[in-house]
Amino acid sequence: MAFDSSQQALRAEMLLEEQDIAFDMIPTPGAITAGCALSLSFSTEELERVMAVVQKEHIEIRGIFRAGDSSGEGSFEQLV
C-alpha cells in the first residue's frame, strides 16, 4: 500500500497495528510512483481487512499494489 504522505503512512501503521493486522513497513518500490518513500506490505489474505480500515478511517492512499514476482522489485499490478 503506497501513500502520498508520510503522515498517512504512519497513521495507517498505527491503525493496522490496533486491528492486529500483520504488515511490514518498507521503502516504496521504485516502480510505484508515490509521494511518500514509505509503504506497507501485507498478505493478500489481509486485503479485505486492510480495505475496511482504510475506508472506515478515511486513510488517503496512492494505491494498493501486488508484486508481479516474488522479489517485489519487478512489475506491479494495481489492485485498488
Side-chain angles (χ1 to χ4, degrees), residues 19-41:
Q19 296 297 315
D20 292 323
I21 297 174
F23 66 89
D24 290 314
M25 180 77 74
I26 62 168
T28 300
I32 298 175
T33 303
C36 176
L38 300 173
S39 288
L40 298 180
S41 175

Side-chain angles (χ1 to χ4, degrees), residues 10-20 53 57 59:
L10 296 173
R11 184 168 171 253
E13 176 186 33
M14 177 191 70
L15 293 167
L16 294 180
E17 283 177 347
E18 287 176 1
Q19 296 297 315
D20 292 323
V53 172
E57 300 295 338
I59 300 169

Side-chain angles (χ1 to χ4, degrees), residues 5-71:
S5 75
S6 297
Q7 178 183 7
Q8 290 298 310
L10 296 173
R11 184 168 171 253
E13 176 186 33
M14 177 191 70
L15 293 167
L16 294 180
E17 283 177 347
E18 287 176 1
Q19 296 297 315
D20 292 323
I21 297 174
F23 66 89
D24 290 314
M25 180 77 74
I26 62 168
T28 300
I32 298 175
T33 303
C36 176
L38 300 173
S39 288
L40 298 180
S41 175
F42 56 89
S43 167
T44 54
E45 295 170 355
E46 294 286 12
L47 179 59
E48 195 172 307
R49 291 181 64 208
V50 169
M51 283 306 304
V53 172
V54 166
Q55 292 170 350
K56 179 181 179 201
E57 300 295 338
H58 306 287
I59 300 169
E60 297 174 23
I61 62 171
R62 170 62 67 143
I64 296 178
F65 302 84
R66 177 174 34 206
D69 62 34
S70 61
S71 73

